[in-house]
Amino acid sequence: MPATLTHELNHDLHSHSTASDGTLSPAELVRRAHAQGVDVLALTDHDSTAGVAEASEAAATLGLRLVPGVEVSVTWNGVTIHILGLNVDPEHLGLQQGLAQLRVRRDERGKEIARRLAKAGIEGALEGAQAYASGAIISRTHFARFLVEQGHAKDMRKVFKKFLVNNRPGYVPGDWASLDEALGWIHAAGGLAVIAHPARYRLSATRLRQFIGEFKEYGGQGIEVVSGSHSAGDVQGMAQYARRFELLASCGSDYHGPEQPWVELGQLTPLPENCTPVWQQWETAA
Ligand code: AMP
Ligand code: MN
Ligand code: MN
Ligand code: MN
């Protein structure tokens, strides 16, 4: 058979640029994805679509398909959960108003993180973190880079553990969108809602099933089965949930930049058999 008939498109539907806490500009990210063999890339920055226009332009010149996306921060029963919106209209006013609210909360949280770090003897953290942020959003990742730069920990993993997670001096709990709000914004903007890296949350199996059930009830459509942060066992477990809850299956690296060489664009394991890929939705619609 000719190769063109058997070639499955390489999908990577979760990635970050400098518009959030990634380290490559949207255009650099797209060029790297193309070089790594990605055919369809979703740019899913945290609580912002500021990088989508630049990424789309770069993708058009390379013949790569860019899926406009966003990773929305949600608080569900006190736990932070990330919901991807894929194929959203970045111009949609309701979506943009919702994301703008989250960015205001990010700014407020950033100030509070800096106040708490100052109490712990670390001055200038807000300015230090902002120096690593493009201005679209401020993230714990930016604080982490500043803290590593200042020698307070050796690497990103250690700095999170020492300062930026629950019960640590620079931890401020997020107060993000409700599940209902997040799904409302994504759907109003014509997007498809997908639970990001479901195996990574601080939830027991029972609570995770409860969450997935609510997500499905509110009209959520997909779950990330293959993720840069999932083990082979996680993939199998999440594929079972996809089938059980009749959710579409997605795959994404959650790429943040070359500083994390253990995650690369477009190098994901295939979706398990008898999962329905999320892209069937837009391929059949096209
Ligand atoms: P935020 O949304 O501002 O609370 O920041 C969350 C981001 O921090 C995630 O999207 C990851 O990119 C990053 N992150 C969270 N935990 C860790 C960790 N243990 N090591 C490195 N990066 C982390
Ligand atoms: Mn991130
Ligand atoms: Mn995430
Ligand atoms: Mn992500």
Side-chain angles (χ1 to χ4, degrees), residues 9 57 66 81 195 208 224 243:
L9 295 180
E57 205 172 301
L66 194 280
I81 308 263
I195 305 170
L208 179 59
E224 215 169 44
R243 290 195 287 273

Side-chain angles (χ1 to χ4, degrees), residues 161-223:
K161 230 174 143 177
K162 197 168 165 192
F163 293 100
L164 298 170
V165 295
N166 203 2
N167 295 320
R168 294 295 167 176
Y171 179 69
V172 180
D175 173 24
W176 309 127
S178 69
L179 180 59
D180 195 15
E181 286 173 323
L183 293 181
W185 303 335
I186 291 167
H187 290 150
L192 225 126
V194 173
I195 305 170
H197 43 66
R200 288 283 69 79
Y201 300 115
R202 297 156 51 89
L203 294 171
S204 66
T206 307
R207 298 275 282 161
L208 179 59
R209 284 194 296 270
Q210 188 195 341
F211 172 75
I212 299 172
E214 280 187 31
F215 172 81
K216 173 82 185 175
E217 263 175 49
Y218 283 124
Q221 295 109 317
I223 183 166

Side-chain angles (χ1 to χ4, degrees), residues 14 16 20-22 46 71 82 106 137 139 141 254-256:
H14 187 160
H16 296 273
S20 64
D21 59 350
H46 298 286
E71 183 171 13
H82 288 169
R106 282 187 171 278
I137 69 142
S139 153
T141 310
D254 203 4
Y255 185 80
H256 280 73

